[in-house]
């Protein structure tokens, strides 16, 4: 039996559901290119760690949902060539009909298929990999396994970052973080849980990243001016959680 694809609206926000109350994506109708959900904003925190004028050149998005990340990157990162992988064709259809999914062009390709298999089989390299795939019961399945994370790491460029949405209400999310930390040899951090209960893990490959707090704040301010994406509170939460030893973000 296939999973129902449901659309709801409340307070000017359109939501995507997979036959349950869990929100699988959201778009504010009057601001479709803004990242409505807090965890989607934090999944783009990699823009603080590299020069956003040139990075990322390539991005892989696993799990289309309401196309929030895809819309944002397509609109605000004109240098980026993006590959989207979504296992459910009806989600792609819903994103086109209800969530302003951009048309495929020279910068955007959409593949209907399994994200695990894609990562295991591709020879492509990506500067940014965004993993946000869940079923109707908020389970990530094969997208939250050590073999998948190892394959994703092998797909990253020497300036590569992987950002993963973990469902923080699940008792197993700490084990998920540990799998990522182990696979990336301690070059990973988990952001403090959002109000929604989501936890975003960020992992790095290639060149060492070391940024002082003052520079992170400055970059967050500039990013907000350029894209309206506000990560200033994210930086503050990282500091308060003790994730910036010596006042520096080190990955």
């Amino acid at each position: 039996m296939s999973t129902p694809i449901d659309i709801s609206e409340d307070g000017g926000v359109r939501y995507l559901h997979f036959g349950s109350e869990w929100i699988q994506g959201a778009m504010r109708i009057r601001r479709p290119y803004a990242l409505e959900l807090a965890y989607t904003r934090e999944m783009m925190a990699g823009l603080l760690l590299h020069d956003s004028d040139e990075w990322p050149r390539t991005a892989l998005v696993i799990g289309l949902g309401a196309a929030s990340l895809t819309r944002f990157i397509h609109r605000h990162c004109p240098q980026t060539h993006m590959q989207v992988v979504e296992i459910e064709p009806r989600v792609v259809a819903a994103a086109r009909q209800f969530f302003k999914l951009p048309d495929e062009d020279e910068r955007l390709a959409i593949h209907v298929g399994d994200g695990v298999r894609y990562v295991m089989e591709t020879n492509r390299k990506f500067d940014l990999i965004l993993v946000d795939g869940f079923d109707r019961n908020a389970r990530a399945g094969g997208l939250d396994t050590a073999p998948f994370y190892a394959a994703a790491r092998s797909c990253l460029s020497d300036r590569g970052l992987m950002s993963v949405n973990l469902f923080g209400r699940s008792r197993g999310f700490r084990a998920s973080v540990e799998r990522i930390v182990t696979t990336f040899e301690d070059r990973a951090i988990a952001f403090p849980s959002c109000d929604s209960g989501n936890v975003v893990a960020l992992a790095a490959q290639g060149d060492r990243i070391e940024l002082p707090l003052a520079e992170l704040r400055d970059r967050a301010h500039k990013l907000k001016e350029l894209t309206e994406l506000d990560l200033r509170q994210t930086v503050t939460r990282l500091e308060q959680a003790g994730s910036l030893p010596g006042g520096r973000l080190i990955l």
Side-chain angles (χ1 to χ4, degrees):
M1 179 175 160
S2 60
T3 300
I5 305 294
D6 300 321
I7 310 297
S8 67
E9 289 187 15
D10 182 54
V13 179
R14 184 172 293 159
Y15 296 98
L16 175 70
H17 311 266
F18 295 165
S20 73
E21 80 270 17
W22 302 122
I23 293 170
Q24 300 285 349
M27 178 186 75
R28 185 163 295 277
I29 295 170
R30 290 190 175 182
R31 299 179 63 224
Y33 298 101
L35 294 172
E36 179 65 21
L37 301 179
Y39 87 86
T40 61
R41 297 193 289 272
E42 297 201 337
M43 285 192 74
M44 294 306 303
L47 293 175
L48 298 177
L49 309 187
H50 289 294
D51 182 349
S52 59
D53 289 339
E54 299 182 1
W55 187 94
R57 291 291 187 183
T58 52
L60 171 63
V61 179
I62 298 177
L64 175 65
S68 302
L69 296 167
T70 301
R71 283 194 311 276
F72 179 87
I73 293 171
H74 196 264
R75 179 65 170 261
H76 293 295
C77 302
Q79 78 284 3
T80 305
H81 288 76
M82 184 171 24
Q83 174 68 62
V84 175
V85 179
E86 168 56 52
I87 197 168
E88 175 53 69
R90 292 176 304 148
V91 170
V92 178
R96 287 195 175 114
Q97 183 175 356
F98 298 106
F99 295 100
K100 297 187 183 295
L101 175 65
D103 293 334
E104 291 185 74
D105 56 20
E106 68 278 1
R107 293 177 45 235
L108 172 62
I110 298 171
H111 171 70
V112 176
D114 182 78
V116 175
R117 175 176 292 181
Y118 183 90
V119 166
M120 295 288 187
E121 295 179 354
T122 189
N123 293 318
R124 297 176 64 185
K125 295 286 187 181
F126 299 93
D127 290 338
L128 178 63
I129 297 178
L130 301 170
V131 184
D132 186 19
F134 294 95
D135 65 14
R136 64 183 296 177
N137 298 308
R139 295 178 301 206
L143 293 174
D144 181 25
T145 63
F148 170 77
Y149 293 134
R153 183 181 181 186
S154 72
C155 290
L156 287 172
S157 70
D158 59 6
R159 301 180 74 205
L161 292 174
M162 178 184 74
S163 186
V164 184
N165 176 29
L166 302 171
F167 192 61
R169 290 196 183 97
S170 166
R171 287 175 293 178
F173 94 90
R174 295 189 187 280
S176 303
V177 172
E178 187 57 36
R179 279 190 285 274
I180 295 169
V181 169
T182 299
T183 300
F184 282 80
E185 301 176 87
D186 292 329
R187 297 194 62 197
I189 60 170
F191 295 158
S193 177
C194 301
D195 292 341
S196 63
N198 296 76
V199 173
V200 172
L202 188 67
Q205 167 74 358
D207 299 338
R208 174 184 169 93
I209 297 169
E210 186 169 344
L211 291 167
L213 178 58
E215 185 168 351
L216 280 173
R217 292 194 188 284
D218 183 58
R219 290 187 181 194
H221 178 74
K222 290 178 180 176
L223 186 63
K224 184 178 187 302
E225 287 186 334
L226 288 171
T227 69
E228 296 187 358
L229 172 58
D230 192 352
L231 292 174
R232 294 175 297 180
Q233 279 297 318
T234 298
V235 174
T236 297
R237 288 169 59 239
L238 283 172
E239 180 188 21
Q240 292 172 343
S243 300
L244 305 177
R248 307 178 79 81
L249 181 118
I250 300 172
L251 272 180

